[in-house]
Amino acid sequence: NVALSAICSSPTIGLDGSGNATITPANIDGGSAVGNCGLDTEFLTNGFADNSILMSNTAQVQGPGYMFNVKALNPITVNSFDIRPFNTGLVGGNASYEVYYKLGSWSGSQFNSAAWTLLASPNLAVTDFTVTPLNLNLGIAVGAGETVAFYISTTDDSSILVENANAFESLWTSDTNLEVYEGPYSVYPFAGTAVNPYMFNGNIVYNAAVLFDGSFDCSDIGDHIITLNRKDNAGNIASCDSTVTIEDGQDPSVTCPADYTVDSAGNYILPNFVGGSVTAADNCGITSVVQTPAPGTSLGDGEYEISFLATDNNGRTGTNMFN
């Protein structure tokens, strides 16, 4: 059997005469396998951006805590949660919570505290029914196609608002980057679950990979980490990182007039030819053009080489001359 894989190379790409370059997945594919299920799509990503997904905004039930699964469709990093608290008057306006995490589904581990990792224990001022950020910085990276579970619970007499759901581990909601699957509310700590599934009223705060169209220009000279993502027809996703080096491989061009003779009637004062009969061009723009001998130089009878050195925005140079 051949599994889907993503193997990256790290190419160097030169800008064209217009100062642009474009890559496709094929440019950084270093020998990836299609796999038995066939390739559905390939796409590039470049870095991460902040996102959030709303779980629910209809409070129906209060519970001590809740468990749910998150499946990443693209690489994501789960950073925090927003919740809707209740019964906070019982604890004087502040409430205490614990946030747990595990690889894979919550199912089968809802009573097993050893299967979970405690990530954070926030205590903060809250208001009943008001969406409240927990303001965490969890940094839980979830690879494309990977499933993880979270358990968020109060540790005092307050409650968390949840909503009646449909069936354990059924899809509750999704966006382009992740899917969220239903779970139970759970009595702290891992002491019991409800017969029916629930979903909490709040948000998942996460970073997601940014889709990249493959376009570069003169401002992109240097190295870039570009991720190749490959998805097969069974929904499996494989990815790898490529270091794409963008370089300006073109020197400036300098255009000069043909050699010519001047009747000086003595000394000839050399004019500034740059911007007149001498022009310079470059795909990434010209920084300077230096004339030698310099404008204003007095020349006696004889033949002289007038040279020009053009420098572009990336430090590349081009020369030309006439007599």
Side-chain angles (χ1 to χ4, degrees), residues 51 55 112 146 148 174 186 196-197 247 254 286 291 295:
N51 289 269
M55 296 297 95
N112 180 14
E146 185 177 34
V148 297
S174 65
S186 176
N196 299 319
E247 68 174 18
V254 181
I286 296 294
Q291 175 180 309

PDB file of all heavy atoms in Angstrom, residues 51 55 112 146 148 174 186 196-197 247 254 286 291 295:
ATOM      1  N   ASN A  51      -7.986  33.732  14.044  1.00  0.00           N
ATOM      2  CA  ASN A  51      -9.349  33.384  13.674  1.00  0.00           C
ATOM      3  C   ASN A  51     -10.114  32.992  14.930  1.00  0.00           C
ATOM      4  O   ASN A  51      -9.540  32.760  15.996  1.00  0.00           O
ATOM      5  CB  ASN A  51      -9.386  32.182  12.706  1.00  0.00           C
ATOM      6  CG  ASN A  51      -8.891  32.515  11.332  1.00  0.00           C
ATOM      7  OD1 ASN A  51      -9.666  32.900  10.472  1.00  0.00           O
ATOM      8  ND2 ASN A  51      -7.592  32.367  11.106  1.00  0.00           N
ATOM      9  N   MET A  55     -19.336  28.784  18.565  1.00  0.00           N
ATOM     10  CA  MET A  55     -19.965  27.495  18.812  1.00  0.00           C
ATOM     11  C   MET A  55     -21.489  27.614  18.872  1.00  0.00           C
ATOM     12  O   MET A  55     -22.217  26.821  18.300  1.00  0.00           O
ATOM     13  CB  MET A  55     -19.470  26.912  20.143  1.00  0.00           C
ATOM     14  CG  MET A  55     -17.992  26.600  20.168  1.00  0.00           C
ATOM     15  SD  MET A  55     -17.531  25.347  18.967  1.00  0.00           S
ATOM     16  CE  MET A  55     -17.000  26.361  17.598  1.00  0.00           C
ATOM     17  N   ASN A 112     -11.429   9.477  32.873  1.00  0.00           N
ATOM     18  CA  ASN A 112     -10.027   9.133  33.096  1.00  0.00           C
ATOM     19  C   ASN A 112      -9.182  10.401  33.084  1.00  0.00           C
ATOM     20  O   ASN A 112      -8.719  10.853  32.038  1.00  0.00           O
ATOM     21  CB  ASN A 112      -9.550   8.159  32.016  1.00  0.00           C
ATOM     22  CG  ASN A 112      -8.096   7.758  32.195  1.00  0.00           C
ATOM     23  OD1 ASN A 112      -7.498   7.997  33.255  1.00  0.00           O
ATOM     24  ND2 ASN A 112      -7.523   7.159  31.159  1.00  0.00           N
ATOM     25  N   GLU A 146      -5.777  15.995  11.917  1.00  0.00           N
ATOM     26  CA  GLU A 146      -5.632  15.499  13.285  1.00  0.00           C
ATOM     27  C   GLU A 146      -6.823  15.926  14.143  1.00  0.00           C
ATOM     28  O   GLU A 146      -7.376  17.011  13.974  1.00  0.00           O
ATOM     29  CB  GLU A 146      -4.337  16.033  13.892  1.00  0.00           C
ATOM     30  CG  GLU A 146      -4.014  15.486  15.267  1.00  0.00           C
ATOM     31  CD  GLU A 146      -2.685  15.997  15.794  1.00  0.00           C
ATOM     32  OE1 GLU A 146      -2.316  17.151  15.509  1.00  0.00           O
ATOM     33  OE2 GLU A 146      -2.002  15.241  16.503  1.00  0.00           O
ATOM     34  N   VAL A 148      -8.182  16.498  18.170  1.00  0.00           N
ATOM     35  CA  VAL A 148      -7.841  16.663  19.581  1.00  0.00           C
ATOM     36  C   VAL A 148      -9.124  16.958  20.346  1.00  0.00           C
ATOM     37  O   VAL A 148     -10.142  17.345  19.762  1.00  0.00           O
ATOM     38  CB  VAL A 148      -6.816  17.796  19.807  1.00  0.00           C
ATOM     39  CG1 VAL A 148      -5.505  17.478  19.108  1.00  0.00           C
ATOM     40  CG2 VAL A 148      -7.382  19.126  19.316  1.00  0.00           C
ATOM     41  N   SER A 174     -18.509  24.016  11.602  1.00  0.00           N
ATOM     42  CA  SER A 174     -17.206  23.969  10.931  1.00  0.00           C
ATOM     43  C   SER A 174     -16.960  25.290  10.219  1.00  0.00           C
ATOM     44  O   SER A 174     -17.879  26.087   9.993  1.00  0.00           O
ATOM     45  CB  SER A 174     -17.157  22.810   9.928  1.00  0.00           C
ATOM     46  OG  SER A 174     -18.094  23.017   8.877  1.00  0.00           O
ATOM     47  N   SER A 186     -19.592  17.628  31.716  1.00  0.00           N
ATOM     48  CA  SER A 186     -18.933  16.721  32.653  1.00  0.00           C
ATOM     49  C   SER A 186     -18.801  17.374  34.014  1.00  0.00           C
ATOM     50  O   SER A 186     -18.371  18.523  34.126  1.00  0.00           O
ATOM     51  CB  SER A 186     -17.546  16.342  32.129  1.00  0.00           C
ATOM     52  OG  SER A 186     -16.857  15.531  33.054  1.00  0.00           O
ATOM     53  N   ASN A 196     -27.304  13.179  27.586  1.00  0.00           N
ATOM     54  CA  ASN A 196     -27.433  13.837  26.288  1.00  0.00           C
ATOM     55  C   ASN A 196     -26.196  14.670  25.955  1.00  0.00           C
ATOM     56  O   ASN A 196     -25.522  15.173  26.856  1.00  0.00           O
ATOM     57  CB  ASN A 196     -28.661  14.743  26.283  1.00  0.00           C
ATOM     58  CG  ASN A 196     -29.939  13.968  26.513  1.00  0.00           C
ATOM     59  OD1 ASN A 196     -30.116  12.874  25.977  1.00  0.00           O
ATOM     60  ND2 ASN A 196     -30.826  14.521  27.328  1.00  0.00           N
ATOM     61  N   PRO A 197     -25.904  14.844  24.662  1.00  0.00           N
ATOM     62  CA  PRO A 197     -24.762  15.675  24.256  1.00  0.00           C
ATOM     63  C   PRO A 197     -25.094  17.160  24.368  1.00  0.00           C
ATOM     64  O   PRO A 197     -26.250  17.566  24.280  1.00  0.00           O
ATOM     65  CB  PRO A 197     -24.541  15.269  22.802  1.00  0.00           C
ATOM     66  CG  PRO A 197     -25.898  14.854  22.325  1.00  0.00           C
ATOM     67  CD  PRO A 197     -26.559  14.208  23.498  1.00  0.00           C
ATOM     68  N   GLU A 247      15.364  35.388  -5.450  1.00  0.00           N
ATOM     69  CA  GLU A 247      16.530  36.211  -5.750  1.00  0.00           C
ATOM     70  C   GLU A 247      16.267  37.059  -6.991  1.00  0.00           C
ATOM     71  O   GLU A 247      15.464  36.707  -7.857  1.00  0.00           O
ATOM     72  CB  GLU A 247      17.775  35.352  -5.945  1.00  0.00           C
ATOM     73  CG  GLU A 247      17.762  34.472  -7.171  1.00  0.00           C
ATOM     74  CD  GLU A 247      19.083  33.754  -7.406  1.00  0.00           C
ATOM     75  OE1 GLU A 247      19.897  33.653  -6.461  1.00  0.00           O
ATOM     76  OE2 GLU A 247      19.295  33.295  -8.543  1.00  0.00           O
ATOM     77  N   VAL A 254      22.028  49.506 -18.971  1.00  0.00           N
ATOM     78  CA  VAL A 254      22.344  50.914 -19.230  1.00  0.00           C
ATOM     79  C   VAL A 254      22.403  51.117 -20.736  1.00  0.00           C
ATOM     80  O   VAL A 254      23.118  50.384 -21.446  1.00  0.00           O
ATOM     81  CB  VAL A 254      23.673  51.330 -18.579  1.00  0.00           C
ATOM     82  CG1 VAL A 254      23.968  52.806 -18.848  1.00  0.00           C
ATOM     83  CG2 VAL A 254      23.654  51.045 -17.080  1.00  0.00           C
ATOM     84  N   ILE A 286      15.936  51.245 -10.092  1.00  0.00           N
ATOM     85  CA  ILE A 286      17.294  51.769 -10.050  1.00  0.00           C
ATOM     86  C   ILE A 286      17.476  52.658  -8.824  1.00  0.00           C
ATOM     87  O   ILE A 286      16.632  53.515  -8.524  1.00  0.00           O
ATOM     88  CB  ILE A 286      17.603  52.575 -11.328  1.00  0.00           C
ATOM     89  CG1 ILE A 286      17.554  51.662 -12.553  1.00  0.00           C
ATOM     90  CG2 ILE A 286      18.945  53.277 -11.223  1.00  0.00           C
ATOM     91  CD1 ILE A 286      18.627  50.600 -12.575  1.00  0.00           C
ATOM     92  N   GLN A 291      28.124  58.569 -13.294  1.00  0.00           N
ATOM     93  CA  GLN A 291      28.865  58.868 -14.543  1.00  0.00           C
ATOM     94  C   GLN A 291      30.320  59.126 -14.219  1.00  0.00           C
ATOM     95  O   GLN A 291      30.650  59.843 -13.285  1.00  0.00           O
ATOM     96  CB  GLN A 291      28.247  60.092 -15.205  1.00  0.00           C
ATOM     97  CG  GLN A 291      28.994  60.587 -16.436  1.00  0.00           C
ATOM     98  CD  GLN A 291      28.321  61.802 -17.034  1.00  0.00           C
ATOM     99  OE1 GLN A 291      27.121  61.803 -17.292  1.00  0.00           O
ATOM    100  NE2 GLN A 291      29.103  62.858 -17.272  1.00  0.00           N
ATOM    101  N   PRO A 295      30.021  64.731 -14.392  1.00  0.00           N
ATOM    102  CA  PRO A 295      29.561  65.931 -15.091  1.00  0.00           C
ATOM    103  C   PRO A 295      30.312  67.177 -14.595  1.00  0.00           C
ATOM    104  O   PRO A 295      30.597  67.303 -13.398  1.00  0.00           O
ATOM    105  CB  PRO A 295      28.075  66.005 -14.720  1.00  0.00           C
ATOM    106  CG  PRO A 295      27.692  64.595 -14.390  1.00  0.00           C
ATOM    107  CD  PRO A 295      28.902  63.996 -13.758  1.00  0.00           C
TER     108      PRO A 295
END
